[in-house]
Amino acid sequence: MEIYSRTDRGMVRHSNQDAERHGFFKDGSAWAVVCDGMGGANGGNVASSTAVEEISARLAEDYTSDMSGSKIRDMIARAVNAANIKVYIQAQEDISLRGMGTTVVVAIVRGDTAYIAHAGDSRVYLYAKGDLRQMTVDHSVVQVMVDSGELTEMEARF
């Protein structure tokens, strides 16, 4: 397995609010964390980098090669929750960061199983045998509108 990453500010924003980190555990299992600060919100870049740092540290500290699948899922949930709390506290303590937020995607791949958690509109894709497939569904107003039939997939893109 190989891991590649790249961030991009996109076509609308003036700054890049993305943060990411990835690597391998000692047993060869891969992990990745991607966060995208909420565009336009105060401190989106702070929220995304804080969340990535907190989640990465928790995964490094808590992961063991003998964990069951349910323990891995619990560990990921605890890491995301800890990052959420840390971002929230920072926003309460610094008025210039009030309202900051971030999307989050966390993935651990062990063997042929991927353990994934996500919130917001950052996505997980599976690339295998030349095929790219979206694995997560956005948590967004636009996705709700697509799901309800108010927008088509094509309309949602624009």
Side-chain angles (χ1 to χ4, degrees):
M1 176 179 293
E2 298 177 63
I3 302 174
Y4 297 94
S5 66
R6 181 178 149 225
T7 66
D8 188 295
R9 69 177 172 85
M11 297 171 62
V12 177
R13 307 287 175 228
H14 296 289
S15 66
N16 187 347
Q17 296 188 348
D18 301 344
E20 70 81 30
R21 191 172 275 175
H22 62 271
F24 293 91
F25 296 115
K26 290 180 182 174
D27 68 355
S29 298
W31 64 272
V33 181
V34 177
C35 292
D36 180 6
M38 291 179 356
N42 292 338
N45 61 326
V46 174
S48 63
S49 61
T50 297
V52 164
E53 293 297 322
E54 183 68 20
I55 293 167
S56 299
R58 296 286 181 130
L59 297 181
E61 186 177 310
D62 296 343
Y63 181 84
T64 61
S65 60
D66 63 344
M67 294 177 99
S68 67
S70 63
K71 293 286 186 192
I72 293 172
R73 286 189 295 275
D74 290 347
M75 176 190 62
I76 292 171
R78 284 192 310 274
V80 170
N81 189 50
N84 185 49
I85 291 168
K86 192 165 190 175
V87 167
Y88 178 79
I89 289 171
Q90 275 186 303
Q92 297 309 304
E93 291 176 345
D94 184 341
I95 196 162
S96 70
L97 299 177
R98 292 272 161 85
M100 74 175 176
T102 185
T103 67
V104 62
V105 172
V106 182
I108 294 176
V109 179
R110 184 166 70 179
D112 62 356
T113 304
Y115 302 91
I116 299 167
H118 73 110
D121 61 0
S122 291
R123 298 176 179 164
V124 174
Y125 290 87
L126 173 64
Y127 180 75
K129 300 177 184 171
D131 182 48
L132 186 65
R133 189 167 43 131
Q134 185 175 333
M135 302 300 293
T136 57
V137 177
D138 293 356
H139 302 120
S140 68
V141 172
V142 171
Q143 185 63 49
V144 169
M145 293 173 76
V146 169
D147 292 345
S148 71
E150 291 178 63
L151 290 177
T152 66
E153 291 281 344
M154 187 57 76
E155 289 171 328
R157 290 178 187 234
F158 301 101

